[in-house]
């Protein structure tokens, strides 16, 4: 019976080296001021609510004023995700 040819295995060749690309990290000018404004508005809303014993900022919301204040703070955290 004839002997089959032995195939030579290819030597390992590493993949080509990719060039590193610079990441553009630029901030939009509006991000930091809007983020800080949201934090401060939320904090002020809650402080005013407690200092006035619930009669301000919006009397008809009653204890929902706390939720509104924390909503502003949460929006500030949402805007902060855009900061680079």
């Amino acid at each position: 019976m004839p002997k089959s040819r032995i195939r030579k295995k290819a030597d390992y060749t590493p993949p080509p080296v990719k060039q590193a690309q610079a990441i553009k990290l630029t901030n939009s000018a509006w991000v930091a001021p809007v983020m800080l404004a949201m934090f401060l508005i939320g904090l002020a809303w809650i402080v005013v609510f407690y200092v006035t014993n619930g009669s301000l900022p919006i009397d008809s919301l009653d204890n929902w004023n706390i939720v509104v204040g924390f909503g502003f703070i949460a929006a500030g955290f949402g805007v902060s995700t855009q900061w680079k």
Side-chain angles (χ1 to χ4, degrees), residues 8-17:
K8 185 178 181 182
K9 292 184 178 180
D11 292 334
Y12 172 74
T13 54
V17 178

Side-chain angles (χ1 to χ4, degrees), residues 31-43:
V31 174
V34 170
M35 175 184 66
L36 291 175
M38 292 291 201
F39 287 152
L40 292 176
I41 290 170
L43 179 65

Side-chain angles (χ1 to χ4, degrees), residues 59-77:
D59 191 28
S60 62
L61 288 180
D62 200 34
N63 286 333
W64 284 97
N65 280 305
I66 298 171
V67 175
V68 172
F70 277 114
F72 276 112
I73 294 172
F77 279 113

